[in-house]
Amino acid sequence: MIRFLYIVLCISFCFVSCTNKTKKTMQFPQYIQNPSGFELHRGVNISHWLSQTGDWVHRPSFFTEHDVEFLHSMGFDHIRLPIDEQVMFDEQGNCIDSAFISLTHAIEWCIQRNMRVIVDLHILRSHHFNSRNNEGAMTLWNDTIAQNHVLNVWDSISVRLRAYPNSMVAYECMNEPVAPEHEMWNKLVERMIAKIRSLEPERVIMLGSNRWQKPHTFPYLRVPKNDKNIILTVHTYHPYFVTHYQAFWSAAKFYKGPVQYPGYPISAQDYASYVDTTNAALVSRIKEEKCLEYFDKQKLQNILQPAIDKAKEYGLQLYCSEFGCLPNIPREMRLRYYTDITNVFRENNISYASWDYKGHFGIVTYDFESRKPTYIDTTLIQLLVK
């Protein structure tokens, strides 16, 4: 039965690929151009390959040239490629050759198909964006040695990647900084940009704000003046208790009631019925994410507005490098969210990459045990590359 399903899936890959060839020629809005010619429109994150890996991930089979060809045939023009320090470097700071070979292979597969690549430094040994849920360390902000080490990490990455064209490969300094104070991030990222500029003056750098790159912190982000080879990058997962419904790594897992979008993600009645008010983590997260407020497309627009305004102020391209919704809610509700958020992106000339390819939010469902894809969500894919 499993073998039969795999054969059917392979046929589906070929069929969908053939029927979507025309997507390559579709016209996108006119985005703000950077001098290096790094142009991106619709992409996807390749998670759990060189980042957030575990014993369940088999690197040689999880992401291959076939996957790049598939994404290209669907109409995606770039990938965001998260990498983790502990995957790419040993504890002495030496490059792990096998990991860098995988990285450079992926870049070359993409370049062959005129697809761009964003190399995203996702997790450091001293900084994990989800440390508040006990997934990693958060010592970076009070450790000057760790901060200096990040600069050395980028030095080593540059040595390996600087030969690739500036028009095809960009760098994201660090994913989702979570500094106690905004100025701490401003000072560190200025040093990171200066380091990269000393090595590669014309490389495009993706720059996001403090506190998980959320839109409301963009007013506090200090953007380098007169550097047009910067793309501002924002993340949005609002409404959180809809997009992360029952996410096992988050306080959202404690909420067992229904959710709604459009509407109140958690209604007052459902809050009274299903929320354990003695669970401080749950109550705090519901308040933080404003889940008792009404959410619709206009609300999503309003949430993104501070990032949109910042990009306009500096005349830079705005890019949403992460958004997505788990398939734990009703299908119709999930697709409505994707329809609304991508329409907001397109109406504001925001390029984007969904989270993610074969992960929990994926456009392809993947069986880590059999190492085979089990379902291709063509409806969602067509919505994303619209």
Side-chain angles (χ1 to χ4, degrees), residues 45 80 122 175-176 234-237 320-324 353 355:
N45 280 268
R80 180 174 181 252
H122 208 67
N175 173 71
E176 294 193 355
V234 65
H235 291 182
T236 180
Y237 285 102
C320 182
S321 53
E322 284 191 28
F323 71 100
W355 189 275

Side-chain angles (χ1 to χ4, degrees), residues 268-285:
Q269 181 178 352
D270 289 332
Y271 185 91
S273 300
Y274 295 101
V275 174
D276 177 4
T277 55
T278 67
N279 187 326
L282 174 60
V283 171
S284 174
R285 198 63 189 269

Side-chain angles (χ1 to χ4, degrees), residues 49-118:
W49 189 52
L50 296 173
S51 171
Q52 295 177 279
T53 58
D55 295 338
W56 66 90
V57 177
H58 182 251
R59 189 186 301 161
S61 62
F62 184 68
F63 188 70
T64 69
E65 187 170 9
H66 172 77
D67 292 289
V68 174
E69 176 57 34
F70 169 69
L71 292 172
H72 179 245
S73 72
M74 291 293 95
F76 293 103
D77 61 60
H78 75 277
I79 63 171
R80 180 174 181 252
L81 191 49
I83 61 173
D84 290 353
E85 180 191 352
Q86 68 176 6
V87 174
M88 311 302 295
F89 300 90
D90 65 22
E91 292 186 358
Q92 288 69 48
N94 301 309
C95 294
I96 298 175
D97 287 337
S98 60
F100 273 93
I101 289 171
S102 294
L103 173 60
T104 54
H105 279 170
I107 292 173
E108 288 159 8
W109 296 334
C110 288
I111 289 177
Q112 289 170 13
R113 293 161 178 83
N114 199 33
M115 292 179 68
R116 270 68 175 178
V117 180
I118 298 167

